[in-house]
Amino acid sequence: MTAERPDPLKSRLLALSEEIVDLSDRLEEAEAGDDDRKAHHCVKRLRSIGDELVDCLEQATGDDLAYARFMMGSVCSLLGFWEQAESSYRRALETWPDHVGLLNELFDALVAQRKYAEAETVIRQSIRHGGETPLILRNLAAVLVHMKRINEARIVMINCTARFPDDGESRAFLKQIDSPVSS
């Protein structure tokens, strides 16, 4: 019996994916620490990965193509190219319509573009496919606040704090919604 040779494209996509996650963490640390040099290095490498992904997108099919599109969306998001990120995520969702991670990243791209009605639809899809977590419910409530649907946001957060009583961020967000400034 001969061993199957690993698919070089799949191996390359997996390696790039791991590097994107690492660069995301390093970029967040650099920005939090005001380390412009480190942030610049991360951005430069992310752009290079984006270029590599363009080549991968030309070769990939099926799940590999959806994965490469997801990764391209992540790179675009990290670089602040929200429209391109949205497009990449939507194309990946054509193959993986119930992928919660993809839906959540699309949600972030939509919020960054202030497309709140679309973001609400996407976060509700995420809840349908992946269930409720405190973060997801806070995201839903935040979008509702942006759309001036304060009472709905309050109800979402009351239910969230009842379901997840130990989540301090959710209690704090509910308090913020209830403050007179929010109304």
Side-chain angles (χ1 to χ4, degrees):
M1 224 162 95
T2 59
E4 258 187 65
R5 295 169 67 192
D7 178 357
L9 178 61
K10 190 176 297 297
S11 297
R12 185 69 193 133
L13 289 173
L14 289 171
L16 288 173
S17 177
E18 289 175 16
E19 191 173 358
I20 291 167
V21 170
D22 180 56
L23 285 166
S24 173
D25 292 342
R26 289 177 32 209
L27 184 59
E28 189 175 316
E29 288 171 12
E31 289 172 347
D34 273 340
D35 188 341
D36 291 339
R37 186 169 165 231
K38 185 176 180 181
H40 176 75
H41 173 75
C42 292
V43 166
K44 187 176 176 182
R45 180 61 189 137
L46 284 166
R47 287 177 183 266
S48 176
I49 289 173
D51 291 341
E52 289 181 60
L53 285 172
V54 169
D55 293 336
C56 292
L57 286 167
E58 291 174 1
Q59 301 170 35
T61 60
D63 283 345
D64 288 344
L65 180 58
Y67 190 42
R69 287 175 172 159
F70 187 177
M71 291 167 50
M72 182 63 87
S74 297
V75 168
C76 290
S77 287
L78 288 166
L79 295 173
F81 300 139
W82 301 112
E83 289 178 21
Q84 294 89 340
E86 177 188 351
S87 175
S88 292
Y89 293 142
R90 287 192 187 280
R91 302 237 11 237
L93 282 166
E94 291 170 6
T95 303
W96 297 334
D98 58 352
H99 191 290
V100 174
L102 253 173
L103 290 166
N104 293 339
E105 288 201 32
L106 174 58
F107 168 83
D108 290 337
L110 291 168
V111 168
Q113 297 174 80
R114 298 185 171 152
K115 295 180 177 181
Y116 301 122
E118 290 178 62
E120 178 191 5
T121 300
V122 168
I123 202 70
R124 289 188 187 277
Q125 282 179 284
S126 175
I127 290 168
R128 250 191 328 277
H129 295 300
E132 296 176 341
T133 66
L135 174 60
I136 294 297
L137 292 172
R138 284 194 307 273
N139 285 344
L140 172 58
V143 163
L144 294 170
V145 167
H146 281 294
M147 295 189 310
K148 309 291 188 232
R149 292 163 48 193
I150 307 300
N151 286 335
E152 286 178 71
R154 184 177 292 117
I155 290 167
V156 168
M157 290 315 300
I158 288 169
N159 289 331
C160 178
T161 57
R163 186 159 177 210
F164 304 100
D166 295 333
D167 188 64
E169 287 182 59
S170 294
R171 286 193 316 275
F173 189 53
L174 175 58
K175 186 183 274 189
Q176 184 181 357
I177 290 173
D178 283 336
S179 73
V181 176
S182 296
S183 308

